[in-house]
Amino acid sequence: MTICLAALFYVMRIGFNMRRRRLEGQPPDPSLVQLHLRLAKPFVLFAVLGFVGGAASAVYLRDWGVLGTFHGVVGLVVVAVYSVTAFLGRQVERGEREPVLHGFLGLVSTLLAALAAVAGFVLLP
């Protein structure tokens, strides 16, 4: 999950670069857009799968409740916000929506993912 989180921060950084260009009135750099799309899709999926795997581990290996920890609750929020961000990103990709809300939720979800990672440190054996 650490590698996934680092990759998602990199994807967010690419998004910031695209936003900066947009605010400067420049067209988006096609290579940045393609890199953002190519990396964001699998790493958001990995984050969702990490949540599912963590929940399964909590229940079946540790006899905890799925949302019995702060880490689990924040993880659920992260998955929900990343899912909405991905849905909005798909609409942006198709030209059906402006990227402002997608970018904001991408920032929020990535910062929440960092919070979930820190909250998970206390759960390590």
Side-chain angles (χ1 to χ4, degrees):
M1 287 305 294
T2 303
I3 292 170
C4 181
L5 183 59
L8 288 168
F9 267 99
Y10 180 64
V11 167
M12 185 178 66
R13 183 172 171 255
I14 295 168
F16 279 144
N17 287 337
M18 292 188 306
R19 179 180 185 272
R20 181 183 42 79
R21 288 180 61 91
R22 187 178 73 248
L23 291 176
E24 291 173 351
Q26 299 176 13
D29 181 351
S31 65
L32 284 179
V33 173
Q34 288 305 313
L35 183 60
H36 184 79
L37 291 171
R38 192 171 52 243
L39 293 176
K41 292 174 183 179
F43 282 107
V44 167
L45 177 62
F46 292 153
V48 171
L49 293 175
F51 173 77
V52 171
S57 168
V59 170
Y60 295 113
L61 298 178
R62 298 181 182 213
D63 293 324
W64 295 347
V66 174
L67 301 177
T69 65
F70 180 67
H71 174 72
V73 173
V74 174
L76 178 63
V77 172
V78 168
V79 166
V81 178
Y82 266 138
S83 297
V84 172
T85 303
F87 176 75
L88 293 175
R90 185 75 170 155
Q91 290 181 334
V92 170
E93 182 181 8
R94 292 178 177 168
E96 300 168 359
R97 170 180 288 278
E98 290 297 313
V100 176
L101 183 58
H102 166 76
F104 175 74
L105 290 177
L107 170 65
V108 169
S109 56
T110 304
L111 294 176
L112 285 171
L115 175 64
V118 171
F121 287 147
V122 298
L123 303 175
L124 293 173

